[in-house]
Amino acid sequence: MSPELTNSYNSISPNKVFRGDEAWKDGMNYIPLICKSPLLLGKSNSTYKIRQTIYNDLKGIGINPINSELEYGCCEEDLQRISNIILEKNCDSVIAAGGGKVLDSGKLLADRLSLPCITIPLSAATCAGWTSLSNIYTKFGAFINDKSLKSCPNALIFDHGFVKSAPKRLLASGIADGLAKWYEASLTSSRSNDGFVQQALQMARVLRDQLFIDGLEAYRNAESDSWVRVAEACALTAGLIGGIGGARCRTAAAHPIHNGLTQLESPKMGLHGEVVGFGIIIQLHLEERYSKNKLATQAKGQLIKFLKEINLPTTGKELGIENISSEDLQKVSNFSCNQNSEIHLLPFKINKDVIKQAIMDNISEKTFGKLSDIKIQ
């Protein structure tokens, strides 16, 4: 038996998933079965009104929520502070309502304190509401590592009304993050003998097609059927793919490049999915050069055209890093290619010099011709 098929554990999905226009109403009535005094976690001022609605509705059914907000994100400073609040107030669960860092923080807090967790995504920007994984950052926004959790959330409530209130830029960002499932998994998992991984890979391909077909209409019209399919694809299906396929269906080069770019700790840095989308473009070029895959050239052109249609950055200049110093670019490359990076799951050798040159050429909008001259040891 193949080593990858032995001793496998998959945390595939939340125990309950409520989705649709009435998701909050239905999910709210399930919450008393889980808890009586939850911590209600949020962050952004833009989501305050929705979180206040959630708070008031919970009070109305006899639940006693304790409000708390992140100051920075999913970082130890916030995690420690809020963990103390949970213990002091004797909270019996965590309800995380917000974007990716709020959802990741809520899951991680609940995991550390062995409490139930309920996630309420307030955008379709990531699949963080679904997964048994949290990304940990510094308080300045630099990626540190990801943490596998014991389980997915006890419940996920994906209310269309809540999510539609988010700026459409967040949906576009989620589309790029969802597309990465295929572009990364197709490189790292195509030769897997694990049936779950093979099936997750095919789901990622269908997800990609769905996003290409419906993405532009969803971006333009939040009242369309396309919006429903795309928003749920980004926030729910993408998480399911990671649950079924595991780590090998999550990352290759796009996410490590994102993680490297966060080391700049720049206030101009784009949203998670925007940076991941840029990472996909760099990954496709590396695939084109070093695996001699001519289809990568076509795929890169198709992707760039689509990302532009939904107003996502496709160059370093558009991402806001056109003035990056050589020293900072080296920092990005070093982190992207550190010894623990999943970029080494690529089916061809890679090094930090190649990553550095690829980003440099993208920023200057060159044709990446110099890459072929870099030797891979």
Side-chain angles (χ1 to χ4, degrees), residues 175 179 211-212 215 302-310:
I175 291 172
L179 286 170
L211 294 177
F212 275 143
Q302 178 190 36
L303 178 66
I304 290 173
K305 179 178 181 294
F306 176 71
L307 295 183
K308 285 182 178 295
E309 288 177 338
I310 56 174

Side-chain angles (χ1 to χ4, degrees), residues 5-273:
L5 301 181
T6 62
N7 301 318
S8 181
Y9 172 78
N10 290 57
S11 183
I12 294 175
S13 74
N15 293 346
K16 295 280 186 179
V17 178
F18 301 89
R19 62 189 180 99
D21 293 332
E22 301 289 325
W24 169 238
K25 179 181 177 181
D26 294 339
M28 177 178 65
N29 293 323
Y30 177 73
I31 291 175
L33 302 177
I34 298 177
C35 60
K36 298 296 182 185
S37 182
L39 180 99
L40 177 57
L41 183 65
K43 182 180 186 291
S44 170
N45 288 335
S46 64
T47 65
Y48 174 78
K49 288 184 179 180
I50 294 177
R51 288 187 282 116
Q52 197 60 37
T53 295
I54 293 170
Y55 178 89
N56 292 335
D57 287 348
L58 291 175
K59 294 286 282 188
I61 59 171
I63 301 295
N64 182 36
I66 305 298
N67 271 322
S68 187
E69 293 188 349
L70 297 174
E71 182 177 354
Y72 304 107
C74 192
C75 63
E76 287 301 334
E77 288 84 353
D78 273 341
L79 292 168
Q80 289 297 325
R81 176 177 59 83
I82 296 171
S83 179
N84 291 336
I85 294 173
I86 292 172
L87 295 173
E88 290 170 5
K89 300 293 184 180
N90 293 314
C91 296
D92 58 3
S93 67
V94 178
I95 300 177
K101 290 185 179 179
V102 171
L103 300 171
D104 275 354
S105 297
K107 292 183 299 181
L108 186 53
L109 285 163
D111 186 82
R112 288 179 174 180
L113 297 173
S114 298
L115 295 174
C117 180
I118 299 165
T119 54
I120 308 176
L122 299 185
S123 79
T126 76
C127 61
W130 184 286
T131 64
S132 60
L133 187 78
S134 288
N135 291 323
I136 303 174
Y137 296 81
T138 69
K139 69 178 183 179
F140 301 110
F143 178 85
I144 298 175
N145 57 32
D146 54 43
K147 170 67 176 175
S148 294
L149 310 177
K150 292 186 285 290
S151 66
C152 294
N154 296 73
L156 185 159
I157 302 172
F158 192 76
D159 186 273
H160 291 177
F162 289 172
V163 177
K164 284 179 182 178
S165 68
K168 64 180 182 179
R169 178 186 176 190
L170 293 171
L171 178 65
S173 180
I175 291 172
D177 200 34
L179 286 170
K181 282 286 186 289
W182 164 256
Y183 289 105
E184 294 189 284
S186 63
L187 285 186
T188 60
S189 306
S190 59
R191 297 183 180 180
S192 173
N193 292 318
D194 188 324
F196 264 27
V197 173
Q198 293 173 352
Q199 292 146 28
L201 181 59
Q202 293 309 309
M203 288 180 66
R205 179 182 56 79
V206 174
L207 173 65
R208 177 205 62 185
D209 293 346
Q210 186 89 67
L211 294 177
F212 275 143
I213 292 168
D214 283 324
L216 181 56
E217 176 62 19
Y219 178 74
R220 289 173 172 171
N221 183 7
E223 300 305 318
S224 64
D225 291 341
S226 291
W227 183 92
V228 174
R229 290 191 289 268
V230 167
E232 292 191 341
C234 297
L236 307 181
T237 309
L240 177 60
I241 291 168
I244 294 174
R248 294 187 69 86
C249 278
R250 283 200 286 265
T251 65
H255 274 84
I257 290 169
H258 160 276
N259 297 340
L261 285 165
T262 66
Q263 304 307 305
L264 299 177
E265 299 179 347
S266 169
K268 294 183 179 181
M269 188 61 61
L271 299 172
H272 172 83

